[in-house]
Amino acid sequence: MKLLVLNGVNLNMTGVREKGVYGAQTLEEINAELAAFCKERGHSVDFFQTNEEGELCSRIHAAQGVYDGIVLNAGAFTHYSYALRDAIASVSVPVVEAHMSNVHAREDFRKKSVLTEVCRGEVLGFGKNSYKLALESFWL
């Protein structure tokens, strides 16, 4: 199985910003752990992070026919990006929405996702393990 982990806006600052929310590991360290997690189970995984909404949309489009699934942590785009929503809806590649924090226990604006309706599922609140659970959902 070939999977893609997409990270959106500000997630490049993981390990630096709000360590109490996102942890002390950098995104690169988390990605290395996820790569080993997938490899141990016989799956491959690629990673991409950007602060640009259109680049995420393009990566979702390009995943068609290449990847078996996408794990998407869109960051703040989660709450207002109809462009990402439409990109997800335009491909047949299943997408699982992932968040390290429990967005429902945070600020009101974070409680609504415009992406969830077009995603296969949602995993949140388990720190970096949210990614592992989302990845694992593809081979269960």
Side-chain angles (χ1 to χ4, degrees):
M1 184 168 286
K2 188 172 182 179
L3 301 167
L4 176 63
V5 175
L6 295 176
N7 281 285
V9 65
N10 297 318
L11 287 156
N12 57 303
M13 299 302 292
T14 302
V16 175
R17 72 183 262 245
E18 299 179 88
K19 291 181 183 180
V21 175
Y22 300 105
Q25 282 186 296
T26 66
L27 187 60
E28 292 77 19
E29 291 168 335
I30 293 169
N31 287 347
E33 193 173 316
L34 296 174
F37 177 77
C38 287
K39 185 177 181 179
E40 289 168 2
R41 288 151 181 82
H43 306 291
S44 66
V45 62
D46 293 322
F47 303 93
F48 181 74
Q49 186 281 323
T50 182
N51 292 319
E52 304 297 328
E53 182 180 33
E55 287 183 14
L56 282 175
C57 292
S58 294
R59 290 291 174 135
I60 292 167
H61 296 161
Q64 184 75 29
V66 176
Y67 292 97
D68 299 300
I70 298 170
V71 172
L72 172 62
N73 182 347
F77 293 140
T78 300
H79 315 294
Y80 64 85
S81 179
Y82 293 103
L84 275 176
R85 184 193 190 287
D86 290 348
I88 294 165
S90 74
V91 298
S92 61
V93 182
V95 176
V96 173
E97 183 180 347
H99 301 283
M100 288 188 274
S101 70
N102 178 354
V103 295
H104 301 293
R106 295 185 66 196
E107 304 91 343
D108 283 343
F109 77 90
R110 294 186 197 276
K111 295 177 183 179
K112 172 67 176 159
S113 168
V114 300
L115 309 179
T116 304
E117 292 176 349
V118 293
C119 288
R120 175 182 181 185
E122 179 183 35
V123 179
L124 53 92
F126 297 100
K128 67 182 179 184
N129 291 319
S130 292
Y131 291 107
K132 289 180 180 177
L133 293 166
L135 287 165
E136 197 171 36
S137 75
F138 288 106
W139 59 75
L140 290 177

